[in-house]
Every structure is written in structure tokens, then in C-alpha cells.
Amino acid sequence: MPRLEGASGPFRLNRLPSSVAVCGWKPGAGPERALAEAGTRLQQEVGPRPALRKARVVGLVQRPGSVSKWVRLNVGGTYFLTTRQTLCRDPKSFLYRLCQADPDLDSDKDETGAYLIDRDPTYFGPVLNYLRHGKLVINKDLAEEGVLEEAEFYNITSLIKLVKDKIRERDSKTSQVPVKHVYRVLQCQEEELTQMVSTMSDGWKFEQLVSIGSSYNYGNEDQAEFLCVVSKELHNSPYGTTSEPSEKAKILQERGSRM
């Protein structure tokens, strides 16, 4: 029978503990070895204890009294999610005042907590992207004038200047397109000159008058004939079709057919 030393002196075990017996402790083996074998056997049967990890919860839950960095906007029925830092790029803008809870700014929220803004969401996209990265990007299907309206509403001064410069650049390219002219040569008698000049409107402009001399006698007087050169600017139709000439233009065309 094994003998162990205790605090109050030696004592005897009438029988071995079940845990030691299961571990296969044999008489003569030290208690330290028996406990080590028991721990090894228990770890093999149960497996290693999983390490406790600190979980981090990421979400929109915020502490009481703190201000979330995310802002939800309901622009014309379309939701936009952005940060307060983005909306506060321009301290003089409407969006900056909205984030600062300006008491003079009458702003409402919907049932989801998003700020309600009654504006066109299509043209709000370029405005929000400009506040994000500082570049003006406008899709081809959007008009610069529409973006300008939104920039002026939100009072973003730097964006207003950029859009106006873009519109000015676009208009200057359009005005640099070479202008084409249509020329016509009309034949008329001396007595018809006054009537022809009076009907020469609708964009037609007098260019040159050439005398071709007296071709025939009318009564007792010689009638001189002239060639009259007129021109008109040719404007391209937006759909590639030409407009019908007016009545006054038809008169000029009929007289030109005499050539």
C-alpha cells in the first residue's frame, strides 16, 4: 500500500483514486509522474482548450451621446450613405450646416433617420463625388447646367466655379466650328432690283451685283440685266435634317432658276 506524507504526518491510502487507476498508475511510480500521465491522457481525450478571442463588433451602433461618422441622406427618394467629413468639405455649404444641426436650418428625417432633401438624385451624384475626391466628373447623359443648379443650391462655391468653366469651355468649342455658306446667283432686270432687295431676308445677304448689259428692248427703252450674288449661312440641324425654306427663300430660288 502506498504511503504519502501529509501536512500532519504520514497517512495511508486504503485504495487508489479512480483517476489515478484510469491513468494506469503503477505501484512504485512517483505521484508527479502519475499526475503528468493523467494530464496527458485527459488532453488527448478532450482536446486542447480553445483560446478565448476578443470579438470586435462592427456596426452602426453608437454609444449614447456620441455622434456617428456616417450620415444617411434621402435625396428625392434615393438613399446616399457618406461620412460627415465628406459633407463638411465646404464650411459655407448647405450640407455642412446640415451636419452641424444648424437650428436655423429646417431639416426633417424619414422613418429610417435619413435627412430628407427634395432635390434631383441624378444630379446629386456628381456633387457628392466632388466632395469625396475633389474632381468634377459628369456622365455624358447629364447636362452641365443641371449640375450647376445643384451646386448653387448646396452653395458649394468651388464646384460652382468648376462647372461654369466647363460650360464656358464647351460653348467656346461649339462657336469655333467653321461656318458654311450657301451662294446663289440671281438674274434680274433693272426694274426688278428694288423688289428683289426688299425680299432678300430670312438670312440671305447681298454679296455682289454684276451688270451683263442691255439684252433686249422693252418698248422704247433698253432694259439692262444684272447678276445678283447672295449668300446665307448654313446651320447644321441637330438631327441631320435640313429645314424647309421659307416663302421668301423660295422666291429667291425661283429667280435663280432663270440662269
Side-chain angles (χ1 to χ4, degrees):
M1 185 67 62
R3 180 178 180 181
L4 300 178
E5 295 290 337
S8 57
F11 61 91
R12 295 178 179 271
L13 294 177
N14 295 328
R15 63 183 182 87
L16 293 176
S18 59
S19 59
V20 177
V22 170
C23 293
W25 180 81
K26 298 180 180 180
E32 295 83 1
R33 181 179 177 182
L35 292 176
E37 291 180 356
T40 302
R41 180 72 60 85
L42 183 62
Q43 186 174 7
Q44 291 176 352
E45 295 177 357
V46 178
R49 183 180 181 183
L52 297 178
R53 298 179 180 178
K54 185 181 295 184
R56 181 181 180 185
V57 179
V58 179
L60 296 179
V61 179
Q62 61 186 64
R63 298 177 181 178
S66 63
V67 179
S68 174
K69 71 174 184 178
W70 292 99
V71 179
R72 188 177 176 89
L73 304 174
N74 183 347
V75 182
T78 302
Y79 287 97
F80 294 87
L81 184 63
T82 185
T83 63
R84 292 182 180 273
Q85 182 180 2
T86 298
L87 297 180
C88 294
R89 297 287 185 188
D90 190 339
K92 298 181 180 179
S93 68
F94 166 86
L95 297 173
Y96 178 87
R97 295 173 57 194
L98 188 69
C99 292
Q100 301 301 318
D102 192 337
D104 297 332
L105 188 64
D106 187 15
S107 58
D108 297 328
K109 293 184 179 181
D110 62 9
E111 62 277 2
T112 66
Y115 288 101
L116 288 167
I117 303 177
D118 187 20
R119 301 297 293 183
D120 190 346
T122 303
Y123 287 95
F124 180 71
V127 175
L128 182 59
N129 286 332
Y130 171 77
L131 294 176
R132 285 169 171 163
H133 47 62
K135 297 180 181 179
L136 176 59
V137 180
I138 303 177
N139 295 335
K140 294 182 179 180
D141 57 340
L142 298 182
E144 288 84 356
E145 287 79 5
V147 181
L148 178 60
E149 286 291 332
E150 298 307 302
E152 291 178 343
F153 172 80
Y154 296 108
N155 193 31
I156 305 174
T157 54
S158 57
L159 179 58
I160 294 174
K161 182 180 181 302
L162 280 178
V163 180
K164 285 185 176 180
D165 292 343
K166 190 174 184 64
I167 294 176
R168 194 177 300 110
E169 180 183 356
R170 179 202 63 188
D171 294 342
S172 64
K173 290 181 179 179
T174 304
S175 62
Q176 292 175 0
V177 176
V179 179
K180 297 181 180 180
H181 290 82
V182 176
Y183 292 90
R184 295 189 182 279
V185 180
L186 309 177
Q187 183 181 4
C188 61
Q189 285 77 39
E190 183 178 357
E191 63 180 6
E192 297 175 332
L193 282 176
T194 303
Q195 182 182 1
M196 188 192 67
V197 173
S198 64
T199 58
M200 191 173 58
S201 59
D202 195 42
W204 289 96
K205 182 174 65 173
F206 176 80
E207 294 289 347
Q208 188 177 3
L209 183 65
V210 180
S211 175
I212 58 176
S214 300
S215 59
Y216 65 93
N217 294 329
Y218 181 76
N220 296 327
E221 299 179 357
D222 291 338
Q223 294 291 325
E225 287 192 336
F226 298 90
L227 296 179
C228 183
V229 182
V230 295
S231 67
K232 180 182 180 180
E233 291 184 1
L234 180 62
H235 299 282
N236 295 327
S237 175
Y239 299 100
T241 58
T242 57
S243 58
E244 290 293 329
S246 63
E247 293 298 328
K248 293 182 179 180
K250 289 180 180 179
I251 294 174
L252 294 176
Q253 293 176 2
E254 291 175 0
R255 291 182 178 177
S257 62
R258 297 178 184 179
M259 291 297 294

